[in-house]
Amino acid sequence: MREVCVIGCGMTKFGELWAKSFRDIFVEAALKAINDGEVDKIDSMYVGTMSSGLFIGQEHIGALMADYLGVAPIPAVRVESACCSSGMALRMGFFDVASGNSDIVLVGGVEKMTDGADVTYALASAADQEYEVYQGVTFPGLYAMIARAHMYRYGTTREQLAAVAVKNHHNGALNPNAQFQREITVEQVINATLVADPLTILDSSPVSDGAACVILASEELAKSLKKPLIKILGSGAATDSLALHQREEITTLKAVRVSAERAYKMAGINPSDVDFAEVHDCFTIAEICILEELGFVEKGKGGLFTEEGHTSLEGKIPVNTSGGLKSKGHPVGATGIAQVFEVVEQLRNNAGKRQIKNAKIGLAQNMGGTGASSVVHILKNVND
Amino acid sequence: MPSPRYHREIPQRYRLEAVKCNNCSKILFPPRLICPDCGFKQFEKIKLSDEGKIITFTIIRVAPAEFATQVPYSIAIVELNDGVRITTQVVDCKPEDLEIGKFVKLVFRKIQEEGKTGIICYGYKAVLT
């Protein structure tokens, strides 16, 4: 396999983009990535979107976006894996370049959630329709049951859950692309409106519109550009049961652990080699579980680790420097690539006020449903 | 929900029908065509235990349209006595009565009413014992 680099990236601001259409936000992000990568051709394209059919009644996204980006007749296909659709799309694009089939690939993610669809219903389609959703459970409800089990088993506190949201809002306040550029307090999180006990609205990522794109190229081609060389060292993916109740242990996100182990193995690194990470904090409890599954902290200690500040911008391992899904926003299909956008910005030393020191190896973890699918990518600035 | 889809699930929702793998004895609910543990394809039809205990739970405050009139309502993951876990509402009690480890029994109840097709959907819910 050939080595693969990220040579360009672009994203729209995340938020309620009432005036912009689904196709236009994708093209906006794609043009930014193409401009950043300084490429004059694209060999193929992969677009992650979770549920454009339910959100706006539009399927057949690969061809639609190739047409509106003006790159038809290149091959273009939509990739779907719930909230990790674009993380999985990146993996498809990675193998397309690595195999030698394509030299330059555009991978994007996009979602339009504010055009009037029943968002709760659409998101619930990532859970088991017949045996979870039928009974009346929602996505916040499923994560609330993980949170309750984690608190019961490991003594994780309500304040520790809140600390995730407070930290991510602090980072998001420094990100001009974030939906919520403001700080919040632990008290505000705890006293906010309950969505599914014990989780409140401020434990939950928002409903958002947005798109993000990256340009992948072979290392040989990337070396000819006068830019920091950002290589994808590893890609790992895994699956688990859609239904949360079928897992042996409710607080264990096995697909996250396995996808990370595969990515670490491919990259030839250990968790301790990772300088910073973007992870899938769709709810505060998710970030706590993910820290544990990625091997940054022992099982059950993710809440305390966060509360002690180890995942803050100045901590041992900064997590969600972009503001995460919580503060930056979560247009579900766009999230995986938006995470990689942040990793690349940090590796290029281009993250402005939220820039961390010595960013050499960054990890992006994106997952679908209650962790029924997960994909992890590890990127490195290989210039030095 | 279209009626064929509803009809297909009636054995599970009304009668708790499951299957037991003829090779490794794993109980599968809902039934599957292949055992995920051992790959065997022959099963014996059984009925699930209708008693169990709460593994974890939540109270839904924001619901999808079909359940909007029921909020707040309790949902739990229940482990039945035969080891199978299911997601179910817990009813006939106050939300604050729920605790991890409490014992429940499954009962036959109306789950939701379909607005457009008019099908009234039934299935299992849990009550505290």
Side-chain angles (χ1 to χ4, degrees):
Chain A
M1 290 208 305
R2 299 196 292 180
E3 301 286 339
V4 181
C5 294
V6 179
I7 61 167
C9 60
M11 69 178 283
T12 65
K13 186 179 184 300
F14 281 5
E16 295 176 348
L17 310 179
W18 305 105
K20 293 181 181 178
S21 70
F22 178 70
R23 60 190 75 179
D24 284 351
I25 52 178
F26 176 82
V27 172
E28 179 185 328
L31 290 175
K32 284 180 180 174
I34 289 168
N35 185 50
D36 182 46
E38 299 172 42
V39 293
D40 54 12
K41 65 145 194 170
I42 296 166
D43 296 325
S44 67
M45 189 163 96
Y46 297 84
V47 185
T49 187
M50 176 197 161
S51 198
S52 53
L54 290 176
F55 287 127
I56 61 163
Q58 181 71 63
E59 311 284 18
H60 210 168
I61 305 308
L64 174 74
M65 296 315 188
D67 178 19
Y68 271 74
L69 186 58
V71 294
I74 67 163
V77 68
R78 175 245 190 105
V79 178
E80 189 274 319
S81 192
C83 308
C84 69
S85 295
S86 64
M88 290 294 189
L90 180 64
R91 191 171 153 81
M92 303 299 105
F94 170 78
F95 286 121
D96 195 340
V97 175
S99 71
N101 180 63
S102 295
D103 287 326
I104 301 176
V105 169
L106 189 150
V107 184
V110 57
E111 209 76 64
K112 181 76 185 167
M113 300 172 74
T114 66
D115 266 3
D118 183 343
V119 172
T120 305
Y121 174 80
L123 291 177
S125 68
D128 185 326
Q129 275 289 348
E130 309 292 9
Y131 292 93
E132 291 183 311
V133 181
Y134 181 80
Q135 301 295 125
V137 79
T138 59
F139 249 93
L142 291 165
Y143 276 97
M145 290 199 284
I146 297 176
R148 173 108 46 200
H150 205 278
M151 293 163 98
Y152 180 81
R153 178 156 183 181
Y154 298 111
T156 298
T157 66
R158 189 44 277 214
E159 288 75 15
Q160 290 169 354
L161 292 171
V164 173
V166 170
K167 183 257 303 172
N168 288 348
H169 268 259
H170 173 79
N171 298 350
L174 305 173
N175 184 353
N177 287 322
Q179 182 165 0
F180 301 126
Q181 295 172 37
R182 63 185 168 85
E183 303 232 16
I184 56 173
T185 65
V186 168
E187 291 71 31
Q188 282 175 312
V189 178
I190 294 173
N191 296 322
T193 304
L194 280 163
V195 177
D197 308 29
L199 301 181
T200 73
I201 189 81
L202 287 179
D203 285 294
S204 318
S205 55
V207 171
S208 321
D209 304 325
C213 293
V214 293
I215 309 285
L216 305 181
S218 63
E219 185 180 25
E220 184 186 6
L221 196 151
K223 275 182 174 167
S224 68
L225 302 170
K226 288 166 188 156
K227 277 174 181 288
L229 204 57
I230 311 295
K231 192 185 284 189
I232 298 178
L233 292 186
S235 171
T239 53
D240 198 353
S241 69
L242 233 63
L244 177 64
H245 59 243
Q246 278 176 10
R247 317 259 174 90
E248 280 171 38
E249 171 51 58
I250 302 294
T251 55
T252 296
L253 301 175
K254 189 175 173 186
V256 178
R257 190 176 75 237
V258 174
S259 61
E261 284 168 357
R262 288 173 178 161
Y264 289 139
K265 187 177 176 196
M266 186 173 181
I269 66 163
N270 294 310
S272 59
D273 297 320
V274 176
D275 296 318
F276 65 102
E278 286 288 302
V279 309
H280 198 95
D281 61 319
C282 49
F283 297 91
T284 49
I285 182 62
E287 181 166 320
I288 288 172
C289 293
I290 292 162
L291 294 176
E292 298 166 0
E293 305 302 351
L294 294 179
F296 296 155
V297 61
E298 96 183 67
K299 189 74 206 160
K301 299 278 177 61
L304 184 65
F305 194 69
T306 304
E307 194 172 43
E308 288 177 343
H310 299 306
T311 57
S312 70
L313 288 179
E314 303 78 25
K316 266 188 230 174
I317 172 140
V319 172
N320 283 329
T321 60
S322 68
L325 285 55
K326 175 68 203 80
S327 174
K328 183 178 58 187
H330 184 29
V332 281
T335 283
I337 295 296
Q339 293 177 321
V340 173
F341 176 92
E342 176 71 6
V343 170
V344 171
E345 288 286 86
Q346 290 283 355
L347 291 175
R348 287 176 172 177
N349 208 19
N350 199 26
K353 289 179 183 167
R354 59 186 197 287
Q355 180 65 48
I356 60 161
K357 287 174 189 156
N358 303 318
K360 293 282 178 246
I361 296 181
L363 178 151
Q365 182 273 335
N366 186 202
M367 69 184 178
T370 48
S373 54
S374 175
V375 58
V376 170
H377 285 97
I378 296 167
L379 291 86
K380 183 178 185 184
N381 182 335
V382 292
N383 270 67
D384 300 337
Chain B
M1 183 177 302
S3 56
R5 184 175 182 183
Y6 182 71
H7 187 264
R8 277 197 300 270
E9 308 298 327
I10 281 178
Q12 282 70 56
R13 292 195 178 129
Y14 287 24
R15 299 190 291 275
L16 299 177
E17 281 186 16
V19 294
K20 186 174 185 178
C21 176
N22 283 349
N23 182 48
C24 74
S25 298
K26 185 180 179 76
I27 300 174
L28 301 173
F29 181 82
R32 300 182 183 205
L33 299 178
I34 181 166
C35 177
D37 280 12
C38 73
F40 213 65
K41 293 175 190 156
Q42 270 108 48
F43 302 93
E44 171 197 352
K45 193 189 287 183
I46 61 161
K47 181 187 171 297
L48 282 186
S49 166
D50 60 1
E51 292 182 25
K53 63 177 181 182
I54 294 173
I55 298 296
T56 184
F57 67 97
T58 184
I59 301 158
I60 304 290
R61 311 267 177 183
V62 179
E66 299 88 338
F67 293 89
T69 59
Q70 299 182 32
V71 290
Y73 55 90
S74 306
I75 291 256
I77 291 177
V78 168
E79 183 169 299
L80 301 170
N81 288 346
D82 47 28
V84 169
R85 288 179 178 182
I86 58 169
T87 297
T88 178
Q89 287 193 33
V90 185
V91 295
D92 296 354
C93 62
K94 293 175 190 156
E96 53 267 32
D97 292 340
L98 267 64
E99 279 177 34
I100 291 174
K102 274 199 172 176
F103 293 98
V104 298
K105 183 175 172 58
L106 298 184
V107 291
F108 183 74
R109 291 290 168 89
K110 184 168 94 175
I111 305 293
Q112 53 176 282
E113 285 180 45
E114 284 294 325
K116 286 178 186 166
T117 59
I119 294 177
I120 297 173
C121 301
Y122 295 89
Y124 47 81
K125 290 184 182 177
V127 295
L128 296 173
T129 55

